[in-house]
Amino acid sequence: MHIDQKYIHFLLHHDQRGIQQIYSQYGQKVVGLICNNSGTEDDGYDILQESLVDIYHMAKDRDFQLTTSFQSFLFLVSKRKWLNELKKRQRQGVTNADDYVFDIEDDSAGELEAHLQMVEKENLVLEVLGTLGERCQEIIRRCMGDKNQEQIAASLGVSYAYLRKKKSECMASLGNKLRLHPVFNPDSELK
Amino acid sequence: MKSKEELIQDFLDDSLTEEDKPLFDHYWETDADFKEQLELQQEIHRALENRILSDSEGLREKLNEVEVAFRSGGQKNKPIIRKLLPILAAACVLIGATLFLLPGKDSLFELPQMRSEIVRGQSDTNFGTASQRYEEAVNAFNEGLYTQSTNLLRDLQAESPEILQYQYYLGLSLIGEKKFGEAENQLVGLASGESVFKNDSMYFVAIALYEQGKISEALIQAYLIPENSTVYPQAQMLIKELNRAK
């Protein structure tokens, strides 16, 4: 286990002092990384926070072990997030991501690659969920959070059969949207 | 008959019925698209369960708190004199306030400026007229023309007795006219009420009582003024003055 595993512990336990340590040791570096690659200071802090949340989600997997320094891993996660953000902005016509080259070597994530990909997929699922109708979002969130779907149906004022049918339609819609994304379907191209 | 999507969700929710199992198995064995859909839905289920059941909101709150403190803590690299400057400035203001703003003896009996503002609760039909007359009362009061302000405020109070602001300033205006007994009558109800005028009324009741020679009663009123009131410093000075007068 790497000595920096303690930072993972801080995130898992929402340890305020530990999180302060992370910010004071690595905050400016991550923000600097983003600013040196066409981001603003606000972009830098957003990426830092989202990266720490991603690391938290990875760390909840019992198999997760930090095998490199926390700084290297945080930089890797932050860089990938920023590159994805630049690509998104490129699709929106805001910028040209290909023009930007990070000045840090893109070290292979190695053993942590699987965790990184898992978190990226989860982030995408939530993002696409947010594009569904309000009713679908509510049904999906509640059904995932509570296994007693008869109770959920009653609280929504619908029959259990209706809820099951509606949920399957919403999940199919979510699936169809995700199938169009390269993260879930490498053969597809995002327009 | 259930759709493929419904069968997939039933399977993932572990609620596939015995009746539906043969159809599910048939699709699984013969339909490549069905298999693909099922695998995708399995990934989606895992992702949603991981995220919806996680406590990342709690972490985000902590991260936000730390970020705010971190971003505002940029002073740590400034020279010490620059760090001390705000403290020194505050100290100067405090000393200035102590020397110049705490009440001297004469200010104990000074009446405050009457506020020029729209009085709430005025009915629409009388609004314009009452507002104008109130403004006239404000001007007269602030110029020390207390007889004039008293007359205007009496009329306004008679028309709208529920507006305590009229009652309060009428009491002060009567003090200005040196009609201390009448002023006491106007203000004593406010002093024992729960309006925003309570503490200030207590203070001016004490003044009215003092001016009538009722020193002990004035002292009681002054002692009752709470510490968190804006007139507390004046009340403490008045108490000293009243004790000297006893």
Side-chain angles (χ1 to χ4, degrees):
Chain A
M1 190 186 295
H2 197 281
I3 192 170
D4 284 354
Q5 189 77 19
K6 65 177 181 182
Y7 296 112
I8 307 298
H9 176 89
F10 293 154
L11 292 173
L12 278 174
H13 293 91
H14 306 179
D15 185 316
Q16 181 136 4
R17 283 202 176 178
I19 292 168
Q20 282 168 350
Q21 244 188 68
I22 290 172
Y23 267 77
S24 63
Q25 287 191 266
Y26 307 116
Q28 287 295 350
K29 292 174 186 173
V30 171
V31 172
L33 175 71
I34 304 306
C35 288
N36 288 339
N37 287 278
S38 311
T40 63
E41 196 178 325
D42 284 344
D43 287 334
Y45 281 104
D46 286 346
I47 292 294
L48 172 60
Q49 186 175 124
E50 292 307 316
S51 299
L52 291 173
V53 172
D54 276 2
I55 292 172
Y56 164 80
H57 284 300
M58 284 183 242
K60 286 179 71 103
D61 184 343
R62 275 170 299 177
D63 291 336
F64 183 86
Q65 289 282 336
L66 198 60
T67 54
T68 182
S69 70
F70 185 77
Q71 176 173 301
S72 298
F73 189 56
L74 178 57
F75 275 24
L76 177 67
V77 173
S78 300
K79 197 171 63 172
R80 281 168 78 129
K81 281 198 94 64
W82 183 234
L83 204 52
N84 287 337
E85 177 60 25
L86 288 175
K87 286 178 181 171
K88 199 189 291 183
R89 292 183 187 184
Q90 183 182 30
R91 286 195 295 277
Q92 291 165 354
V94 175
T95 187
N96 187 356
D98 292 338
D99 290 346
Y100 302 113
V101 176
F102 280 95
D103 60 2
I104 289 180
E105 287 295 317
D106 184 4
D107 297 326
S108 168
E111 294 153 3
L112 298 168
E113 182 66 31
H115 291 283
L116 283 166
Q117 286 184 8
M118 180 199 76
V119 161
E120 281 173 2
K121 278 187 171 177
E122 287 177 4
N123 288 341
L124 185 63
V125 167
L126 284 187
E127 191 183 314
V128 175
L129 175 65
T131 66
L132 300 183
E134 293 283 339
R135 192 65 163 167
C136 268
Q137 287 188 52
E138 186 183 8
I139 286 172
I140 290 172
R141 286 183 193 278
R142 291 188 67 178
C143 288
M144 289 298 156
D146 184 353
K147 292 301 174 195
N148 191 336
Q149 296 189 14
E150 275 155 347
Q151 226 171 45
I152 293 170
S155 71
L156 291 173
V158 300
S159 68
Y160 177 70
Y162 176 86
L163 178 71
R164 298 289 310 162
K165 189 170 177 62
K166 189 70 184 167
K167 184 198 163 192
S168 68
E169 286 171 5
C170 293
M171 290 298 288
S173 177
L174 180 57
N176 289 338
K177 287 191 172 196
L178 286 167
R179 274 168 113 169
L180 299 173
H181 200 286
V183 169
F184 280 86
N185 183 0
D187 296 334
S188 77
E189 270 181 28
L190 265 176
K191 302 217 163 65
Chain B
M1 191 170 81
K2 283 189 181 167
S3 65
K4 289 178 188 177
E5 290 79 19
E6 285 176 276
L7 289 171
I8 287 171
Q9 294 305 319
D10 284 351
F11 174 77
L12 293 173
D13 289 340
D14 207 19
S15 57
L16 197 63
T17 62
E18 289 298 324
E19 201 177 35
D20 291 331
K21 272 182 185 166
L23 185 58
F24 179 89
D25 290 342
H26 168 73
Y27 284 137
W28 171 258
E29 283 159 15
T30 63
D31 190 336
D33 185 61
F34 181 84
K35 258 179 131 167
E36 206 181 297
Q37 272 194 61
L38 175 60
E39 284 165 6
L40 176 60
Q41 288 293 328
Q42 277 174 323
E43 275 199 273
I44 295 172
H45 266 244
R46 260 197 304 271
L48 289 172
E49 279 173 357
N50 282 348
R51 289 307 178 94
I52 286 168
L53 298 174
S54 81
D55 184 27
S56 60
E57 281 315 305
L59 175 63
R60 280 187 192 281
E61 276 174 29
K62 278 280 168 1
L63 290 172
N64 282 331
E65 279 172 33
V66 170
E67 181 184 317
V68 166
F70 182 73
R71 290 179 83 166
S72 65
Q75 293 189 33
K76 63 181 178 172
N77 293 325
K78 288 186 186 171
I80 190 146
I81 187 66
R82 289 183 69 190
K83 279 194 237 177
L84 286 178
L85 268 176
I87 298 167
L88 289 172
C92 287
V93 168
L94 198 59
I95 290 166
T98 306
L99 288 175
F100 298 112
L101 298 179
L102 280 183
K105 184 186 161 183
D106 289 343
S107 68
L108 293 179
F109 305 97
E110 259 178 41
L111 295 173
Q113 287 284 291
M114 192 170 159
R115 289 180 314 190
S116 172
E117 61 182 59
I118 295 167
V119 177
R120 292 192 184 136
Q122 186 66 46
S123 71
D124 287 342
T125 52
N126 292 330
F127 185 78
T129 311
S131 175
Q132 281 168 0
R133 284 183 286 140
Y134 183 78
E135 288 306 306
E136 283 174 34
V138 168
N139 292 335
F141 183 98
N142 291 339
E143 286 177 27
L145 304 172
Y146 296 115
T147 307
Q148 193 176 334
S149 59
T150 296
N151 289 337
L152 285 162
L153 287 163
R154 267 197 219 284
D155 289 343
L156 286 166
Q157 193 196 22
E159 287 164 23
S160 304
E162 73 283 5
I163 298 178
L164 301 181
Q165 195 160 325
Y166 294 155
Q167 186 178 350
Y168 174 68
Y169 284 113
L170 177 57
L172 298 194
S173 191
L174 287 164
I175 288 178
E177 281 192 281
K178 301 194 189 310
K179 296 178 179 176
F180 299 115
E182 259 192 89
E184 182 197 333
N185 291 338
Q186 279 295 323
L187 293 169
V188 73
L190 292 172
S192 55
E194 292 305 321
S195 72
V196 296
F197 302 107
K198 177 187 171 72
N199 294 332
D200 289 37
S201 296
M202 286 168 77
Y203 179 82
F204 286 107
V205 166
I207 293 289
L209 288 165
Y210 168 76
E211 296 284 7
Q212 294 172 82
K214 301 176 184 176
I215 306 298
S216 299
E217 290 171 63
L219 265 171
I220 292 169
Q221 278 294 316
Y223 274 125
L224 287 173
I225 293 170
E227 223 174 292
N228 60 357
S229 158
T230 53
V231 291
Y232 181 77
Q234 274 169 290
Q236 296 305 298
M237 295 283 293
L238 181 62
I239 288 168
K240 283 184 188 163
E241 184 58 29
L242 291 169
N243 280 322
R244 269 199 289 270
K246 267 172 85 174

Short mmCIF file of all heavy atoms in Angstrom, two decimals, chain B residues 202 206 209 214-225 239 242:
data_model
loop_
_atom_site.label_atom_id
_atom_site.label_comp_id
_atom_site.label_asym_id
_atom_site.label_seq_id
_atom_site.Cartn_x
_atom_site.Cartn_y
_atom_site.Cartn_z
N MET B 202 -38.83 53.42 26.02
CA MET B 202 -38.46 53.31 27.45
C MET B 202 -37.48 54.43 27.80
O MET B 202 -37.58 55.05 28.86
CB MET B 202 -37.83 51.94 27.73
CG MET B 202 -38.82 50.81 27.76
SD MET B 202 -38.03 49.18 27.74
CE MET B 202 -37.48 49.04 29.40
N ALA B 206 -38.13 57.65 30.33
CA ALA B 206 -37.21 57.99 31.43
C ALA B 206 -36.87 59.48 31.37
O ALA B 206 -36.83 60.18 32.40
CB ALA B 206 -35.94 57.14 31.33
N LEU B 209 -39.89 61.49 32.48
CA LEU B 209 -40.04 61.39 33.93
C LEU B 209 -39.00 62.25 34.64
O LEU B 209 -39.31 62.94 35.62
CB LEU B 209 -39.91 59.93 34.37
CG LEU B 209 -41.09 59.02 34.00
CD1 LEU B 209 -40.71 57.55 34.14
CD2 LEU B 209 -42.33 59.32 34.85
N LYS B 214 -39.46 63.18 38.40
CA LYS B 214 -39.75 61.84 38.92
C LYS B 214 -38.50 60.96 38.74
O LYS B 214 -38.44 60.09 37.88
CB LYS B 214 -40.95 61.23 38.19
CG LYS B 214 -42.23 62.05 38.31
CD LYS B 214 -43.35 61.45 37.48
CE LYS B 214 -44.60 62.32 37.51
NZ LYS B 214 -45.67 61.81 36.64
N ILE B 215 -37.49 61.26 39.58
CA ILE B 215 -36.17 60.66 39.37
C ILE B 215 -36.19 59.14 39.57
O ILE B 215 -35.64 58.39 38.76
CB ILE B 215 -35.12 61.30 40.31
CG1 ILE B 215 -35.13 62.82 40.16
CG2 ILE B 215 -33.74 60.72 40.07
CD1 ILE B 215 -34.75 63.32 38.79
N SER B 216 -36.82 58.69 40.65
CA SER B 216 -36.82 57.25 40.95
C SER B 216 -37.52 56.47 39.84
O SER B 216 -37.04 55.41 39.42
CB SER B 216 -37.52 56.97 42.28
OG SER B 216 -36.84 57.62 43.32
N GLU B 217 -38.65 57.01 39.37
CA GLU B 217 -39.37 56.31 38.29
C GLU B 217 -38.55 56.33 37.01
O GLU B 217 -38.54 55.36 36.24
CB GLU B 217 -40.73 56.99 38.04
CG GLU B 217 -41.72 56.76 39.17
CD GLU B 217 -42.97 57.61 39.00
OE1 GLU B 217 -43.68 57.41 38.00
OE2 GLU B 217 -43.24 58.47 39.87
N ALA B 218 -37.85 57.45 36.80
CA ALA B 218 -36.99 57.54 35.61
C ALA B 218 -35.87 56.51 35.68
O ALA B 218 -35.54 55.87 34.68
CB ALA B 218 -36.41 58.95 35.51
N LEU B 219 -35.32 56.33 36.89
CA LEU B 219 -34.24 55.35 37.07
C LEU B 219 -34.73 53.93 36.74
O LEU B 219 -34.02 53.15 36.08
CB LEU B 219 -33.72 55.39 38.51
CG LEU B 219 -32.49 56.27 38.76
CD1 LEU B 219 -32.23 56.39 40.25
CD2 LEU B 219 -31.26 55.72 38.05
N ILE B 220 -35.94 53.63 37.22
CA ILE B 220 -36.49 52.27 36.96
C ILE B 220 -36.60 52.04 35.46
O ILE B 220 -36.20 50.99 34.94
CB ILE B 220 -37.88 52.12 37.65
CG1 ILE B 220 -37.72 52.11 39.16
CG2 ILE B 220 -38.57 50.84 37.17
CD1 ILE B 220 -39.02 52.22 39.93
N GLN B 221 -37.12 53.03 34.74
CA GLN B 221 -37.25 52.88 33.28
C GLN B 221 -35.89 52.66 32.63
O GLN B 221 -35.71 51.80 31.77
CB GLN B 221 -37.88 54.13 32.67
CG GLN B 221 -39.39 54.21 32.74
CD GLN B 221 -40.06 53.15 31.91
OE1 GLN B 221 -39.68 52.90 30.77
NE2 GLN B 221 -41.08 52.52 32.47
N ALA B 222 -34.92 53.46 33.06
CA ALA B 222 -33.58 53.38 32.46
C ALA B 222 -32.91 52.03 32.74
O ALA B 222 -32.25 51.45 31.87
CB ALA B 222 -32.72 54.53 32.97
N TYR B 223 -33.10 51.52 33.96
CA TYR B 223 -32.49 50.23 34.31
C TYR B 223 -33.09 49.09 33.50
O TYR B 223 -32.44 48.07 33.27
CB TYR B 223 -32.70 49.93 35.81
CG TYR B 223 -31.64 50.54 36.70
CD1 TYR B 223 -32.00 51.38 37.76
CD2 TYR B 223 -30.29 50.26 36.50
CE1 TYR B 223 -31.04 51.95 38.58
CE2 TYR B 223 -29.32 50.83 37.32
CZ TYR B 223 -29.70 51.67 38.36
OH TYR B 223 -28.75 52.23 39.17
N LEU B 224 -34.35 49.26 33.07
CA LEU B 224 -35.03 48.18 32.35
C LEU B 224 -34.58 48.05 30.90
O LEU B 224 -34.90 47.06 30.24
CB LEU B 224 -36.55 48.41 32.38
CG LEU B 224 -37.22 48.16 33.73
CD1 LEU B 224 -38.69 48.59 33.67
CD2 LEU B 224 -37.13 46.69 34.11
N ILE B 225 -33.84 49.04 30.40
CA ILE B 225 -33.44 48.99 29.00
C ILE B 225 -32.38 47.89 28.82
O ILE B 225 -31.36 47.89 29.50
CB ILE B 225 -32.89 50.36 28.54
CG1 ILE B 225 -34.04 51.38 28.55
CG2 ILE B 225 -32.27 50.27 27.15
CD1 ILE B 225 -33.60 52.79 28.35
N ILE B 239 -28.50 56.98 33.63
CA ILE B 239 -28.55 56.44 35.00
C ILE B 239 -27.54 57.19 35.89
O ILE B 239 -27.85 57.56 37.02
CB ILE B 239 -28.28 54.92 35.00
CG1 ILE B 239 -29.49 54.17 34.40
CG2 ILE B 239 -27.95 54.39 36.39
CD1 ILE B 239 -29.25 52.71 34.08
N LEU B 242 -28.97 60.57 36.54
CA LEU B 242 -30.11 60.48 37.45
C LEU B 242 -29.63 60.24 38.88
O LEU B 242 -30.17 60.82 39.84
CB LEU B 242 -31.06 59.35 37.02
CG LEU B 242 -31.84 59.61 35.72
CD1 LEU B 242 -32.52 58.35 35.23
CD2 LEU B 242 -32.88 60.71 35.93
#
